[in-house]
């Protein structure tokens, strides 16, 4: 599904990621474990192209992620970040309308099904949601375009075990 080859990221003299290599097979769930500052979130941001890599390459189903056609590849990836405190004054409906503009594969029926499953109403403002509800909404946004790959940073943050 995804292959990372010799991934390197430096911040000044600090080496955040040092020659990382791995492959993730489709249909499986993987987790990065490690102490704070180990580079877990940095690796996710590198995969998503949120930050630039210094060396190495990242492939999604053998296609290079950071190429001229990166948008079409990024449409195939969903992401739920650790901090979901964006658009605090906006209603969920407004955020969804903005977000869906970036995905030609947006599936409104699937989005509505997810919102119902998580018991979220589009009239809510982000500022009215608990941390767990914000995470659930982020999941709705990340899954509504039916990505092949879902990346999550601190995925259980604020969620009830059930």
């Amino acid at each position: 599904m995804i292959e990372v080859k010799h991934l390197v990221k430096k911040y000044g003299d600090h080496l955040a990621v040092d020659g990382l290599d791995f492959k993730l097979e489709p249909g499986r769930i993987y987790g990065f474990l490690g102490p704070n500052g180990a580079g877990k979130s940095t690796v996710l941001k590198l995969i998503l192209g949120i930050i630039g890599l210094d060396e190495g390459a990242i492939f999604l189903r053998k296609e290079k992620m950071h190429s001229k056609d990166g948008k079409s590849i990024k449409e195939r990836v969903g992401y739920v970040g650790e901090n979901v405190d964006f658009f605090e004054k906006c209603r969920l409906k407004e955020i969804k309308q903005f977000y869906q503009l970036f995905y030609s594969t947006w599936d409104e029926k699937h989005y509505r099904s997810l919102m119902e499953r998580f018991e979220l109403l589009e009239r809510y403002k982000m500022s009215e949601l608990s941390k767990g509800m914000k995470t659930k909404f982020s999941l709705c946004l990340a899954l509504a375009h039916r990505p092949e790959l879902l990346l999550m940073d601190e995925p259980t943050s604020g969620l009830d075990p059930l």
Side-chain angles (χ1 to χ4, degrees):
M1 174 59 102
I2 193 163
E3 183 175 4
V4 169
K5 293 183 177 182
H6 192 71
L7 202 60
V8 174
K9 180 62 183 174
K10 300 174 189 170
Y11 293 106
D13 291 336
H14 175 68
L15 192 56
V17 180
D18 185 12
L20 182 65
D21 293 290
F22 65 84
K23 289 182 184 180
L24 304 180
E25 300 299 324
R28 297 186 179 242
I29 297 172
Y30 295 90
F32 288 146
L33 302 175
N36 291 345
K40 302 177 299 291
S41 295
T42 300
V43 170
L44 292 179
K45 289 175 184 174
L46 288 165
I47 291 171
L48 292 163
I50 294 171
I51 57 175
L53 49 91
D54 293 320
E55 292 179 36
I58 303 166
F59 300 88
L60 177 64
R61 295 198 185 266
K62 303 196 187 289
E63 291 181 65
K64 196 168 186 177
M65 294 262 318
H66 305 291
S67 63
K68 291 180 183 175
D69 193 28
K71 183 181 183 289
S72 66
I73 293 173
K74 286 181 183 176
E75 279 194 344
R76 296 163 42 197
V77 179
Y79 175 68
V80 176
E82 180 179 8
N83 298 316
V84 289
D85 52 358
F86 51 89
F87 305 112
E88 282 294 314
K89 296 188 188 288
C90 294
R91 298 198 183 280
L92 303 189
K93 181 178 183 174
E94 297 164 334
I95 298 167
K96 184 267 300 191
Q97 289 170 337
F98 172 75
Y99 200 86
Q100 77 184 103
L101 295 173
F102 296 96
Y103 297 97
S104 63
T105 57
W106 186 269
D107 183 339
E108 186 67 18
K109 186 176 179 182
H110 186 51
Y111 165 79
R112 295 211 174 276
S113 171
L114 292 165
M115 290 290 285
E116 185 176 315
R117 182 177 187 175
F118 289 137
E119 300 176 349
L120 295 170
L121 301 175
E122 285 192 317
R123 70 173 185 257
Y124 292 155
K125 287 185 177 180
M126 280 299 281
S127 60
E128 298 171 333
L129 301 182
S130 68
K131 185 172 182 173
M133 290 172 77
K134 288 179 182 180
T135 301
K136 288 177 183 180
F137 182 61
S138 290
L139 276 167
C140 292
L141 295 175
L143 295 172
H145 66 280
R146 298 195 178 266
E148 295 175 42
L149 175 67
L150 178 63
L151 300 174
M152 300 175 72
D153 194 358
E154 300 289 341
T156 58
S157 182
L159 292 177
D160 294 329
L162 296 177

